[in-house]
Amino acid sequence: ERGHNLTILSPDVEDSKVNFTFLHLDEVYPAIYNGSEEMNFFEFTEMGPLELFMLYADVGDKACRGVLKSKGYQQLLEYPNNFKVDLAIYDFTMGPCVIGILSKFGLPKMIGVSPYFSMGMLGPNIIYPSIMPGHDLLYKFDMNFVERLTSALVHLSEYAFTNLYMTPMVDR
């Protein structure tokens, strides 16, 4: 209503509206699911932290490969270099696979968001895992000492895994 234009790069699309342009990442879901049934997220509660880290890395790698093959991403690459972007809002759940394209548009400000709470991607100094339990732990906020220690160790492990394994994989 104020004249702003939104360009939305997403595997989910809606009909374009006035000032809304959807660029469909049509290859993301096929890459993630590889023709199989959708993931049963309830099964994740039975996995340990290392198993979950590996799953996240695999899904993130597949999602990035799907993004790069998608028509919507190719359309964004065809935008002129002087296309004005004031702000990018980025779902960093799957890692940094499309952040690099921001250099094409003069590195606008970016807000990172996530539909779930991934402490490892937030960094070691932003969250206090001894107060805020990790998203994979079924702890309440009034954690005892062992739960606080476990939460901190899981957080540091996820942070290390993200930086030493997942990010280099996405960079490749």
Side-chain angles (χ1 to χ4, degrees):
E1 292 175 359
R2 294 182 183 172
H4 298 285
N5 293 304
L6 293 163
T7 300
I8 301 166
L9 187 67
S10 173
D12 301 307
V13 294
E14 299 175 19
D15 292 332
S16 289
K17 300 173 184 159
V18 175
N19 298 346
F20 278 69
T21 302
F22 284 93
L23 301 179
H24 189 204
L25 297 174
D26 56 310
E27 295 294 328
V28 171
Y29 290 142
I32 292 173
Y33 299 122
N34 197 20
S36 66
E37 293 181 25
E38 290 190 14
M39 293 179 194
N40 181 350
F41 293 98
F42 293 109
E43 290 176 358
F44 295 2
T45 61
E46 298 172 14
M47 294 180 179
L50 182 58
E51 197 175 8
L52 280 169
F53 296 163
M54 295 303 290
L55 175 71
Y56 296 154
D58 181 56
V59 170
D61 181 53
K62 289 176 180 176
C64 285
R65 291 175 192 277
V67 165
L68 298 176
K69 290 185 210 172
S70 291
K71 292 175 191 159
Y73 186 74
Q74 297 306 314
Q75 285 177 274
L76 189 61
L77 287 174
E78 293 171 7
Y79 276 37
N81 292 342
N82 63 353
F83 186 81
K84 185 163 174 36
V85 176
D86 296 316
L87 175 69
I89 301 174
Y90 183 71
D91 176 355
F92 65 88
T93 304
M94 293 300 165
C97 68
V98 296
I99 293 176
I101 199 164
L102 293 178
S103 63
K104 177 178 173 74
F105 304 113
L107 296 173
K109 293 177 182 170
M110 183 181 75
I111 297 173
V113 298
S114 177
Y116 87 108
F117 187 57
S118 173
M119 293 194 301
M121 292 184 182
L122 293 175
N125 300 320
I126 296 174
I127 295 296
Y128 297 99
S130 62
I131 298 170
M132 176 78 68
H135 65 92
D136 297 329
L137 301 172
L138 300 176
Y139 298 155
K140 297 192 178 343
F141 284 99
D142 58 342
M143 296 182 284
N144 62 38
F145 176 75
V146 173
E147 291 170 335
R148 290 174 191 267
L149 182 61
T150 301
S151 181
L153 291 173
V154 167
H155 168 65
L156 289 173
S157 298
E158 185 176 357
Y159 180 73
F161 182 82
T162 298
N163 287 286
L164 299 175
Y165 180 77
M166 195 169 167
T167 300
M169 181 175 61
V170 170
D171 285 346
R172 282 191 297 279

